Amino acid sequence: MSVSAPGAGPVVFDPYSLPSNDNVNPYAFSVELDGQWFLQKGKMIAYYGQVDFHAIGHGPLDRLVAANFHSPLHAADWVVAQGRGKMLLADRSYDINSYDLDEGNLTIRSGNLLAFQPGLALKQSIIPGFLTLIGTGTFVAASNGAVHFVEPPIRVDPQALVGWADCPSPCHHYDHAYMRGVLGGIRALTGIGGASGEEHQFEFSGAGQVLLQSTETLMGEVNTGGVPGQAGPGVPGAGAGR
Amino acid sequence: MAVFRLHGSRVLAVDLAGDAVKAKNGAMVAYDGEMTFKKMTGGGEGLRGMMTRRITGEAMAVMEVKGHGTCYFADRATEINLVRLTGEKLYVEASNLLATEPSLRTGTTFTGLRGASQGNGLFTTTVEGTGQAAIMSDGPAIVLRVSGAYPLVVDPGAYVAHTGQLRQQLQSSVGWRTLMGEGSGESFQIRFEGEGLVYVQPSERNTIGGQL
C-alpha cells in the first residue's frame, strides 16, 4: 500500500465475488448466510439477498435463542439474522478476524464480539464484561489493532486483553512493591511521586491461549443517536454543519 | 492537468501544473512548489449554489488550490478513495468529499428520507463530469456492485457514496416489537436497485435510527 498508480480502479465486489465466510479486507468480514447467525446490533454494514433481523426476545426464533443465547444482560445488544445472502460485518474500522471453534471454548470482551454461528452457545463469563462461547462453529471478533496469541504463564494489561481460549485461569495481579515504606504508602494513596499505571495486571496460568490487541486504548463505544456535530473525531459526517 | 494519486492510503497527493483543484477547506497537510489557497464561498458554485447550500444545510467549506508542484491533502487520518468519473454522477456527503478535479461540477440534490436516517440531513452533494474525485471513509471503503439481478441493502451509517443509475429507498421494519423496546438495531436500511456502484465504510457513523 505505497503509491498507487494513477487511475488504478478500486476492486468492485458483487455477490459472487465477495468472499464466503472470509475477510474482504482487514476491516470487513463477509458472511455467506444460509440460515441464521447471531450478531451484535449495528455491526451489519450491507447485504445482498434476503435477510431478516429479529430481536432477541419472544418471537419466531424462541427455540434457537433458548438453545444458543444465555445472556439476558446482553440480549438487548444482539439480533438474529435469518435468510440467504452475503452479509458484510464491520465495527468502527477495527481489525476483524474470524475464529473456528471445534468443541472448544473461548472467552472474549463483550464489545469485541461481532457475530457467531448458532453451533456455538453464548454465555456470560463470571468475569464482568466478558462473554464465553462454547461449542463448534465460527465467530467473528474485532480488535483495535492486530490480535496476538500468547501462551500462559503471562501477565497482561487489562486494556490490551481481548480474550482467552481453552482453560487458562485469569486472576488480578497487583504490584505492591511500590507501596513499601512510608514514602511508598504516600505515593500509593495520593499518586504523588508517580504511579506507572502498570501496577495492575491480569495474570493467566494453565494451558491455553491468551488473545491481546495491540493497543491499550479502548475506544469509547459509539454513542449511537448523537447528531453529526457531536460525533467524535475520525467519524466522517462529524464535520457536518461546521 | 491535475494528477491525483494516493500516498499510502490516508494522504492524497495532487500534482499541479498551473491548474486548480477544489479541496475541503483546511485539508492541506504539505506542499512543495508554489501554491495559492483561496477559500471559495459557498462551494464555488456561484451565488445560486451558495444560497442552495445555505438553505439545505449541505454546507461545504471548499478552497481552491492553484499552482505548480505537489500538494498533499489529508483529513483526520481517514481513508481516502479515488473515484474516476466518466460523465456519470457521484452522490457523496459533503463531509466525505475531500477533493475534486476542476473539470468536475459539484451541486446539491434532495435525498429524501434516507438522508434523515443517516443523520446527515435531507440533501447530499453531487459531483458530475469527467475526472477524478477523492472521497473519505472511516476505514477503507468497499465498493459493491448493484445490478438488476441483485439489489443491495446498506446500513445508513455505513453508506459513503454511490454512482450510476440507482434508485434508493428507505426500508424500515419498525413494528410493535420495536416499540416494546425489542428493536433489531437494523430497523432502517437503504435499499439500492438499478445499475451502479455503492461505497460503504467498515464503520457506522451515528444515526438517528441506530438503536431502533
Side-chain angles (χ1 to χ4, degrees):
Chain A
M1 294 260 279
S2 57
V3 180
S4 70
V11 187
V12 177
F13 290 101
D14 62 34
Y16 307 105
S17 65
L18 272 176
S20 167
N21 293 338
D22 202 356
N23 275 62
V24 181
N25 62 28
Y27 314 100
F29 185 85
S30 169
V31 173
E32 166 112 55
L33 188 68
D34 185 8
Q36 291 121 354
W37 269 69
F38 284 88
L39 52 130
Q40 209 176 128
K41 268 186 192 176
K43 309 301 183 200
M44 184 280 296
I45 56 167
Y47 67 83
Y48 288 108
Q50 184 60 47
V51 182
D52 293 321
F53 297 90
H54 297 276
I56 287 184
H58 192 70
L61 298 168
D62 231 9
R63 281 181 62 190
L64 177 78
V65 171
N68 294 297
F69 199 90
H70 308 280
S71 172
L73 193 63
H74 294 93
D77 299 331
W78 286 78
V79 290
V80 181
Q82 188 179 34
R84 290 176 68 91
K86 287 271 179 75
M87 184 167 66
L88 288 178
L89 306 176
D91 181 20
R92 292 165 280 172
S93 60
Y94 278 17
D95 285 52
I96 307 279
N97 283 298
S98 66
Y99 306 83
D100 292 317
L101 279 183
D102 184 16
E103 289 299 319
N105 73 79
L106 185 135
T107 305
I108 188 165
R109 192 183 286 278
S110 61
N112 287 45
L113 183 63
L114 293 196
F116 64 92
Q117 269 182 328
L120 294 163
L122 182 84
K123 318 208 175 204
Q124 267 167 243
S125 170
I126 56 171
I127 315 280
F130 284 82
L131 293 168
T132 301
L133 290 164
I134 301 176
T136 303
T138 304
F139 69 93
V140 182
S143 61
N144 194 350
V147 166
H148 306 280
F149 291 84
V150 289
E151 284 191 13
I154 190 171
R155 289 178 187 159
V156 303
D157 191 280
Q159 282 121 35
L161 179 67
V162 172
W164 61 93
D166 299 330
C167 291
S169 59
C171 53
H172 293 281
H173 174 89
Y174 292 91
D175 289 341
H176 272 186
Y178 71 101
M179 269 183 80
R180 286 204 197 105
V182 177
L183 275 177
I186 293 169
R187 180 186 292 181
L189 286 173
T190 62
I192 296 169
S196 71
E198 304 286 8
E199 291 87 4
H200 173 213
Q201 301 110 30
F202 286 152
E203 181 166 328
F204 287 87
S205 56
Q209 296 270 329
V210 180
L211 281 67
L212 303 177
Q213 61 185 3
S214 40
T215 175
E216 292 188 2
T217 322
L218 297 173
M219 277 197 203
E221 295 295 309
V222 177
N223 191 7
T224 319
V227 294
Q230 293 168 354
V235 180
R242 211 172 292 158
Chain B
M1 179 67 192
V3 178
F4 281 31
R5 56 192 165 84
L6 287 178
H7 213 277
S9 60
R10 299 178 180 191
V11 175
L12 171 73
V14 179
D15 298 321
L16 292 172
D19 45 354
V21 291
K22 275 199 253 180
K24 184 177 174 159
N25 214 14
M28 186 276 290
V29 290
Y31 69 90
D32 55 33
E34 282 295 318
M35 296 282 165
T36 54
F37 301 89
K38 197 174 83 186
K39 168 93 192 267
M40 296 172 90
T41 312
E45 293 156 9
L47 194 61
R48 189 161 165 272
M50 188 170 101
M51 289 296 288
T52 317
R53 285 194 180 273
R54 184 62 57 83
I55 294 166
T56 56
E58 186 71 12
M60 189 166 73
V62 176
M63 61 182 179
E64 186 192 55
V65 183
K66 198 172 187 176
H68 293 267
T70 307
C71 193
Y72 298 90
F73 299 98
D75 188 33
R76 288 173 292 163
T78 50
E79 298 283 328
I80 296 165
N81 310 277
L82 291 182
V83 183
R84 178 169 292 282
L85 294 175
T86 46
E88 71 262 46
K89 216 180 215 180
L90 171 75
Y91 296 81
V92 60
E93 279 308 312
S95 52
N96 284 29
L97 185 62
L98 181 64
T100 53
E101 271 191 61
S103 53
L104 296 172
R105 294 182 306 284
T106 54
T108 36
T109 186
F110 180 68
T111 57
L113 274 176
R114 169 185 62 82
S117 72
Q118 275 173 281
N120 273 335
L122 293 165
F123 294 84
T124 194
T125 295
T126 54
V127 181
E128 227 179 329
T130 302
Q132 277 195 302
I135 58 176
M136 296 181 288
S137 58
D138 187 16
I142 299 164
V143 191
L144 297 168
R145 184 180 300 283
V146 181
S147 82
Y150 39 88
L152 174 72
V153 184
V154 174
D155 190 287
Y159 165 86
V160 175
H162 75 266
T163 60
Q165 296 297 316
L166 288 177
R167 290 181 307 283
Q168 45 181 322
Q169 65 189 65
L170 187 75
Q171 73 181 34
S172 75
S173 56
V174 180
W176 63 273
R177 296 183 66 192
T178 311
L179 302 176
M180 297 283 286
E182 284 186 4
S184 66
E186 311 287 6
S187 294
F188 290 99
Q189 294 158 348
I190 324 168
R191 185 179 177 87
F192 287 96
E193 285 170 4
E195 301 281 337
L197 300 177
V198 178
Y199 292 73
V200 294
Q201 62 182 11
S203 172
E204 296 197 359
R205 69 173 88 76
N206 299 329
T207 59
I208 292 166
Q211 278 298 307
L212 295 175

